Amino acid sequence: MRALETFRRLLSPKNFYVICEQASSFLGFAFIVSLCLGLYGGFTAPMDYQQGQAFRMIYVHVPAAFLSLFIYSCIFLCSVIYLIWQVKIADVIAKLSASLGACFTFLALFSGALWGKPMWGTFWVWDARLTSELILLFIYFGYMGLRAAFPNLRLQSKIAALFAIVGMVDIPLVHFSVNWWQTLHQGATLAKFARPSMPSEMLWPLISMIVACLMFYIWMLSVRVRGEILKREKHTQWVFTTICNPNKEFA
Amino acid sequence: MNTKDYSLFIFFTFFMMFLIFILCTVHAFLHHRKLCKALHHHFKNEKN
């Protein structure tokens, strides 16, 4: 009970604002470092014996695809938390994650199309993996559109949360489509840590790029969440004190 | 081994990633700054 109370206090808008402000620069730094490491490792890794240089697109495609699923899972989790416990921050995170998720989904589709041309001979096929990923992009657009359609914040949050929970159906479809159906898209590479299908000199840059994208997502979230909290809590005293702090010059 | 030159494909893939990173970062920071400025003016007007 005490732990739950501490957790609730930690997730209060004011405390969350402070946490985001303090974590922001560390997250930015972690993003830059892991991106540089990933790019260095990605471009110095040996060529693939079948794909040649074209395999290097994996360092964009796989992190983007992973993030597209991860961000939607976060939106789903935040929506459930919001609907059950009415935690305002959960709704803020869900709202601001959507556009980032859509960007990563678009990047996964774009890089996949460019990788598909040399490997499969075509930019696009109506394959189960590709189609379910495209549906995920439309779900992101639908989520953002639905939020924009309702001016009332409480109603908007509730309807968007319900939409996000229903949309979660697509996530296992994207992930397991390569196992459930006969697809042109290859099966999982990273999920097989017990028996890796990549040599370590190719694998570590990939993990580094995934960490970079993850750091980027959390970093952007920490910046955008602060703005949204200020907007929603502008009638409170602490926002007044924060904005009118003489050490910060916004004018 | 596939020895065809796919450097343009690789370039556009990485270019798009960097474009998304840069646009998202610039948008997030500019939006935050704009919001803080607007709130600052709002509080200043309220005080006056």
Side-chain angles (χ1 to χ4, degrees), chain A residues 83-144:
Chain A
L83 283 183
I84 297 174
W85 292 293
Q86 303 283 312
V87 178
K88 285 182 201 167
I89 291 300
D91 180 53
V92 172
I93 293 174
K95 180 187 176 184
L96 300 173
S97 293
S99 54
L100 290 166
C103 284
F104 278 110
T105 311
F106 170 75
L107 184 61
L109 287 168
F110 180 82
S111 57
L114 286 185
W115 201 4
K117 184 66 182 168
M119 295 305 116
W120 304 335
T122 176
F123 287 109
W124 184 265
V125 277
W126 292 101
D127 171 86
R129 171 59 73 84
L130 278 71
T131 310
S132 52
E133 185 75 11
L134 183 68
I135 291 171
L136 181 63
L137 182 66
F138 292 146
I139 290 174
Y140 275 120
F141 288 156
Y143 182 84
M144 289 189 286

Side-chain angles (χ1 to χ4, degrees), chain A residues 31 39 43 48-54 56-57 60 103 107 110-111 114 117-118 209 216 219-220 223 226-227 230-231 234 240 243-244 250, chain B residues 1-2 6 8-10 12-14 16-18 20-22 24-25 27-29 31-33 35-37 39-44 46-47:
Chain A
F31 161 65
L39 287 176
F43 281 105
D48 183 75
Y49 80 102
Q50 275 183 322
Q51 300 188 32
Q53 295 286 2
R56 295 189 201 284
M57 283 186 252
V60 175
C103 284
L107 184 61
F110 180 82
S111 57
L114 286 185
K117 184 66 182 168
M209 286 299 284
F216 179 76
W219 180 39
M220 282 300 100
V223 176
R226 272 155 56 205
L230 289 179
K231 206 161 73 179
K234 67 180 176 191
F240 176 80
I243 292 293
C244 296
F250 298 116
Chain B
M1 191 198 286
N2 198 336
Y6 296 118
L8 205 64
F9 286 80
I10 299 169
F12 274 117
T13 305
F14 281 87
M16 187 54 81
M17 181 181 74
F18 281 113
I20 286 176
F21 282 164
I22 291 166
C24 282
T25 312
H27 171 260
F29 280 100
H31 184 73
H32 184 71
R33 191 173 165 74
L35 192 91
C36 287
K37 262 185 179 179
L39 281 175
H40 186 81
H41 284 296
H42 169 75
F43 288 133
K44 221 163 89 177
E46 224 173 38
K47 249 200 280 187

Side-chain angles (χ1 to χ4, degrees), chain A residues 161-237:
Chain A
L162 285 172
F163 181 85
I165 290 168
V166 174
M168 184 66 189
V169 176
D170 192 46
I171 300 301
L173 274 182
V174 176
H175 187 72
F176 295 109
S177 56
V178 285
N179 304 334
W180 292 344
W181 292 287
Q182 197 76 34
T183 57
L184 191 56
H185 193 285
Q186 66 162 76
T189 308
L190 259 190
K192 297 189 291 182
F193 273 116
R195 199 158 51 92
S197 44
M198 281 177 93
S200 59
E201 58 267 38
M202 288 178 177
L203 188 63
W204 76 259
L206 183 58
I207 293 170
S208 187
M209 286 299 284
I210 292 174
V211 171
C213 288
L214 208 58
M215 288 296 126
F216 179 76
Y217 163 60
I218 305 172
W219 180 39
M220 282 300 100
L221 210 56
S222 75
V223 176
R224 300 179 72 187
V225 158
R226 272 155 56 205
E228 187 69 19
I229 289 175
L230 289 179
K231 206 161 73 179
R232 290 189 185 193
E233 302 282 311
K234 67 180 176 191
H235 302 298
T236 57
Q237 183 61 36

Side-chain angles (χ1 to χ4, degrees), chain A residues 15-29:
Chain A
N15 289 337
F16 203 76
Y17 180 90
V18 175
I19 294 169
C20 286
E21 199 171 33
Q22 288 171 354
S24 189
S25 40
F26 166 76
L27 290 166
F29 178 73

